[in-house]
Amino acid sequence: MTAYRDLSREELLLLKNDLEEQFQEVKAKGLNLDMSRGKPSAAQLDLAMGMMDVLNSETDLRCMEGVDCRNYGVLDGIGEIKQLLADLIEVPKDNIVVFGNSSLNVMYDTVARSMTHGVMGSTPWCKLDKVKFLCPVPGYDRHFAITEHFGIEMINVPMTDDGPDMDVVEKLVAEDEAIKGIWCVPKYSNPQGITYSDETVHRFAKLQPAAKDFRIYWDNAYNIHHLYDDKQDYLIEILMECKKAGNEDMVYKFCSTSKVSFPGSGIAAIAASDANLVDIRNQMKIQTIGHDKLNQLRHVRFYKNIHGMVEHMKLHAEILRPKFETVLNTLERELGGLEIGSWLRPRGGYFISFDSMEGCAKAIVAKAKEAGLIMTPAGATFPYGKDPKDTNIRIAPSYPTPEELAVATEIFVLSVKLVSIEKLLNA
Ligand SMILES: Cc1ncc(COP(=O)(O)O)c(C=O)c1O
């Protein structure tokens, strides 16, 4: 494969004509394809349908505390769901508080509480002149939306293959008291699929922030979401590392079963130190008398324990793995060696992150849309929707059927080629 930049102007123009013809052919099909959001497919949702049958009118609906789950009672999760989610997020059962159906909602509440009431007795953030968050980029758009919503200034921190650039993180948190948090997706990150290295986690645990109310927002959304049985990433458990470093109050861990059972009807939790959990429960007891215990019971009776959940994730992987491979193999076959884009091969999670030539991402997404393919808007993986180099595009292979995905990826690579040629011709 010759790199596009080594082709002459004439060669580029010939190639462009040929690709434009192919593009018009697909466009004429009037397709309607979506690779924009990380939603499980219907086939994946079917895997958990048994959960609809574990409770019925004959079932004993008392939890291990003896509480009737049809009624009020038990603020922060029935014992059996605490055990299951504590095992999922690898903390002791006492360090977990179970919430409702969404971890994003828990993250929103956590920022909102810090704004209005402060963190463990500190000045509420809304009374401060300036509050800032570090945002490893590319990252998850909905994290950035929360901090933007509260007027928190976001500072980009580059991602490396080992996680966020820790030289930058250490320096910034040490010198700026206005920095109150950092968004992290430490395992199979959204969108790159990167897992933070041991050294990165150790350095996180040993941070010396200027602000005593600084917290690491450790969103472990993809903890057991492996694509392979044999090639799996491993992440060090951070709450224990923070404790060993004398920093146990510095981290909030978030998780949910959204991409294990049913997104929107799963169960979310936060794990943190005892002192942090006091703060969290104080707010929770005002917010609610308790969350949906029947759903908690349903989840535990279906999965039984963490081993059941891990086995269940293998069934998800069987559906997801070929989809990831379709996309990755097509990228490799069609774009390998052309030097007009780069990507990583994740071993888990929900996304593939693609980097185009500078200044091309928006145009590629627009081009794909012309042929009926919806991608995540370019820029979405950066705070304020602004990708300074306009290169990053998030690919979400989970939702389309395998047949749709094959066509969608063809449209994507055609769009990448056409936009890149245009860029080179205009250089
Ligand atoms: C990193 C990350 N965190 C959280 C969520 C949403 O989780 P929940 O459904 O528990 O709100 C997603 C969904 O895509 C995600 O990618």
Side-chain angles (χ1 to χ4, degrees):
M1 285 284 187
T2 315
Y4 273 15
R5 65 176 47 119
D6 295 332
L7 296 178
S8 69
R9 203 175 166 76
E10 289 65 35
E11 285 170 320
L12 282 175
L13 283 168
L14 270 178
L15 192 58
K16 184 180 163 197
N17 280 345
D18 184 35
L19 292 166
E20 194 61 56
E21 235 172 70
Q22 293 178 37
F23 188 81
Q24 291 308 329
E25 269 172 37
V26 227
K27 191 173 160 183
K29 292 186 185 162
L31 299 167
N32 184 7
L33 301 164
D34 193 341
M35 285 212 289
S36 69
R37 292 233 71 98
K39 296 202 295 192
S41 60
Q44 288 178 264
L45 301 177
D46 286 345
L47 298 173
M49 283 308 283
M51 197 180 290
M52 298 289 110
D53 302 327
V54 289
L55 302 188
N56 61 41
S57 59
E58 311 287 312
T59 312
D60 179 358
L61 295 172
R62 278 171 303 178
C63 61
M64 63 193 276
E65 290 89 350
V67 172
D68 183 344
C69 289
R70 297 171 302 175
N71 215 332
Y72 283 140
V74 188
L75 176 69
D76 63 357
I78 60 175
E80 36 289 64
I81 195 77
K82 276 192 177 171
Q83 188 62 62
L84 180 58
L85 296 186
D87 291 342
L88 170 67
I89 201 168
E90 300 165 296
V91 299
K93 188 178 163 195
D94 288 344
N95 287 107
I96 200 156
V97 163
V98 178
F99 277 77
N101 69 324
S102 152
S103 62
L104 197 71
N105 195 178
V106 185
M107 294 176 231
Y108 180 98
D109 278 352
T110 307
V111 174
R113 183 179 59 250
S114 309
M115 291 298 290
T116 55
H117 289 74
V119 178
M120 283 172 50
S122 73
T123 307
W125 296 353
C126 68
K127 296 199 173 149
L128 302 174
D129 289 340
K130 194 98 196 139
V131 176
K132 302 178 192 170
F133 251 62
L134 300 184
C135 299
V137 288
Y140 179 36
D141 54 350
R142 291 183 190 270
H143 284 162
F144 305 152
I146 293 176
T147 26
E148 183 172 4
H149 179 73
F150 285 102
I152 293 172
E153 184 182 315
M154 293 180 277
I155 302 168
N156 293 356
V157 173
M159 281 289 285
T160 72
D161 290 347
D162 290 323
D165 184 330
M166 291 309 290
D167 291 342
V168 176
V169 174
E170 284 166 350
K171 181 170 180 300
L172 291 177
V173 300
E175 65 189 22
D176 189 350
E177 208 189 337
I179 296 176
K180 303 295 188 192
I182 179 167
W183 289 118
C184 295
V185 184
K187 191 151 175 190
Y188 302 132
S189 68
N190 177 349
Q192 291 168 301
I194 288 175
T195 297
Y196 295 8
S197 69
D198 295 0
E199 191 198 336
T200 300
V201 180
H202 287 138
R203 288 174 75 175
F204 261 111
K206 289 182 186 144
L207 282 179
Q208 301 283 335
K212 71 176 187 338
D213 51 352
F214 169 86
R215 295 290 180 272
I216 303 164
Y217 283 60
W218 198 254
D219 178 3
N220 216 343
Y222 300 109
N223 201 22
I224 53 170
H225 301 54
H226 310 285
L227 287 172
Y228 301 92
D229 263 357
D230 50 342
K231 296 177 285 178
Q232 300 190 345
D233 289 359
Y234 173 75
L235 173 71
I236 294 188
E237 198 290 295
I238 192 164
L239 184 59
M240 179 56 79
E241 285 309 307
C242 283
K243 193 171 181 173
K244 283 195 247 165
N247 269 334
E248 67 174 321
D249 295 333
M250 198 170 59
V251 64
Y252 298 130
K253 296 181 74 176
F254 304 92
C255 71
S256 79
T257 67
S258 283
K259 283 161 188 171
V260 178
S261 58
F262 300 125
S265 305
I267 304 190
I270 192 168
S273 68
D274 296 340
N276 276 315
L277 292 187
V278 168
D279 235 22
I280 291 165
R281 285 197 188 92
N282 277 341
Q283 178 199 34
M284 195 179 193
K285 69 184 182 209
I286 308 295
Q287 272 186 316
T288 180
I289 306 174
H291 288 288
D292 181 347
K293 293 189 295 300
L294 291 175
N295 200 28
Q296 296 175 7
L297 207 55
R298 205 181 279 130
H299 274 73
V300 178
R301 301 241 168 119
F302 180 64
Y303 292 112
K304 299 195 170 56
N305 53 38
I306 187 64
H307 305 296
M309 225 180 220
V310 167
E311 285 305 309
H312 187 83
M313 293 313 289
K314 292 184 183 166
L315 305 176
H316 278 284
E318 275 169 29
I319 298 174
L320 283 173
R321 193 171 48 242
K323 294 188 176 186
F324 273 73
E325 287 178 350
T326 296
V327 175
L328 290 165
N329 294 343
T330 309
L331 291 177
E332 193 55 56
R333 190 185 65 237
E334 294 294 326
L335 302 179
L338 302 184
E339 295 179 23
I340 55 174
S342 59
W343 57 92
L344 298 172
R345 272 193 168 261
R347 294 170 167 194
Y350 260 68
F351 304 101
I352 295 166
S353 174
F354 181 86
D355 282 312
S356 67
M357 290 167 66
E358 280 194 25
C360 288
K362 274 198 163 60
I364 291 169
V365 171
K367 189 82 192 163
K369 191 166 174 214
E370 254 184 66
L373 169 62
I374 308 296
M375 309 283 305
T376 310
T381 50
F382 283 73
Y384 311 106
K386 286 191 195 135
D387 175 354
K389 293 186 179 158
D390 187 24
T391 57
N392 191 249
I393 300 174
R394 187 181 78 164
I395 301 174
S398 58
Y399 193 68
T401 62
E403 297 73 32
E404 287 172 337
L405 198 63
V407 183
T409 315
E410 293 297 338
I411 296 177
F412 179 71
V413 294
L414 268 178
S415 307
V416 173
K417 287 179 181 175
L418 280 165
V419 170
S420 308
I421 291 179
E422 201 63 43
K423 168 99 183 170
L424 289 167
L425 287 171
N426 292 327

